[in-house]
Amino acid sequence: QLQLVESGGGLVQPGGSLRLSCAASSGTLDRYNIGWFHQAPGKEREGVSCISSTGGITNYADSVKGRFTILRDNAKKAVYLQMNSLKREDTGIYYCAACNIPTMREFGSRGQGTQVTVSS
C-alpha cells in the first residue's frame, strides 16, 4: 500500500517560492499518478496539480497555472511541487496523494501534509 510523506513547507513572503517534496514511506511511487492537494483554512481540499506515473502528462488548477510546476524523479522516488510567485491565498496545508489526471481527484491514502504560509 502506498504511504506518502510530504515536506518542504514553511513561511514565505508574497511573491516568494517554495519547493514541496512527496516521498513514499511504503509502496512503489512510480506506479502511480501523483498529485498535490491544497486545503486552505476553513475550506475543502482541492486539487492543485497531478502528474502521470512517467511524468509525461501534467494537469494544473487554473489558479496555479504559470506559477506552480509539478515534477517527479522516479529514480529518487519523489514528486515535487515548485511554487513560485506565491500569493496569500496559497496558504494552507498541502498534501500529496495518488490522483486522476483529468479530474485531479485524489484517491487512496495521503500523508500528514505540509503547512505553507504566505504572509508578509
Side-chain angles (χ1 to χ4, degrees):
Q1 185 178 357
L2 187 65
Q3 298 287 337
L4 300 172
V5 179
E6 304 90 346
S7 62
L11 173 63
V12 63
Q13 292 185 343
S17 298
L18 281 175
R19 191 179 205 188
L20 307 183
S21 298
C22 172
S25 58
S26 68
T28 307
L29 189 71
D30 59 8
R31 292 182 179 178
Y32 297 88
N33 303 332
I34 298 294
W36 285 96
F37 303 85
H38 172 222
Q39 187 158 20
K43 295 186 178 180
E44 292 187 356
R45 192 167 54 254
E46 59 183 12
V48 172
S49 185
C50 186
I51 188 167
S52 64
S53 59
T54 60
I57 301 172
T58 58
N59 194 12
Y60 295 91
D62 288 342
S63 59
V64 305
K65 284 180 180 176
R67 301 190 298 122
F68 291 8
T69 303
I70 191 168
L71 310 160
R72 71 187 301 159
D73 185 337
N74 285 338
K76 294 184 177 179
K77 301 180 181 180
V79 175
Y80 307 100
L81 186 67
Q82 178 66 44
M83 309 166 71
N84 298 329
S85 302
L86 282 160
K87 303 177 180 181
R88 288 182 173 83
E89 52 263 43
D90 297 320
T91 293
I93 302 174
Y94 285 77
Y95 302 89
C96 61
C99 65
N100 177 279
I101 293 179
T103 64
M104 290 200 294
R105 297 191 70 170
E106 65 180 274
F107 61 90
S109 62
R110 62 182 182 274
Q112 295 295 310
T114 187
Q115 175 71 44
V116 171
T117 302
V118 184
S119 176
S120 54

